[in-house]
Amino acid sequence: MPYCRCGNEFSEARASLGFDYCLECGKKEAAAEIERRAHMIAPISYKSGYTYLGSDEATQRQRLLEGSAKTPRMETGARVIGRAAQPRQAKRRRYELAGWEFKPDKRGVRQKRAILRELRSD
């Protein structure tokens, strides 16, 4: 019978499958591998689900940049310069109460609604 790294014997069938350790050591090794790989899984895009990124940083970066079949590649080039790329300043509108009106809604129930007038900003 083969012996494990810890010194315990394990079955010939397990050794024929390619394992060189007992079940207890295998559970410990699997738990360590699961913990290590837990930091290598991330959602790549909105609907793709979680994806295994790889063991080294270069592979992880490449897979993140590749995206998935549903999303385009992540662009890392220079930012676009120009007027169209700049966000526009939204002009805030101000209103004042001009009065009230009473109109029936779709069911015929009378509703009170405010009439607002836009203030000019000079």
Side-chain angles (χ1 to χ4, degrees):
M1 286 199 110
Y3 285 92
C4 177
R5 297 177 221 156
C6 65
N8 294 334
E9 288 185 12
F10 63 95
S11 68
E12 291 284 339
R14 188 166 173 78
S16 67
L17 290 174
F19 295 103
D20 59 344
Y21 40 82
C22 63
L23 281 173
E24 289 82 23
C25 292
K27 285 181 185 176
K28 290 177 189 173
E29 191 171 314
E33 184 67 14
I34 288 170
E35 180 64 31
R36 188 180 73 84
R37 286 187 179 199
H39 301 289
M40 300 175 198
I41 297 174
I44 297 294
S45 70
Y46 171 61
K47 290 186 176 180
S48 71
Y50 287 88
T51 304
Y52 177 67
L53 297 177
S55 56
D56 60 335
E57 242 178 80
T59 308
Q60 290 176 2
R61 179 169 169 73
Q62 183 62 33
R63 291 224 173 106
L64 283 171
L65 290 174
E66 284 172 2
S68 69
K70 295 180 182 176
T71 58
R73 290 177 50 89
M74 187 183 298
E75 297 298 328
T76 58
R79 290 187 59 175
V80 179
I81 299 174
R83 226 177 143 169
Q86 295 175 352
R88 293 183 183 169
Q89 192 71 7
K91 188 175 181 183
R92 303 252 342 190
R93 294 183 176 183
R94 297 183 63 205
Y95 299 92
E96 69 176 354
L97 180 66
W100 298 96
E101 69 177 353
F102 297 92
K103 282 192 170 179
D105 61 3
K106 291 181 181 178
R107 290 188 233 151
V109 179
R110 215 169 131 204
Q111 297 288 326
K112 181 179 180 182
R113 292 196 276 178
I115 301 172
L116 300 176
R117 183 178 358 172
E118 186 175 347
L119 294 175
R120 291 186 190 179
S121 57
D122 295 331

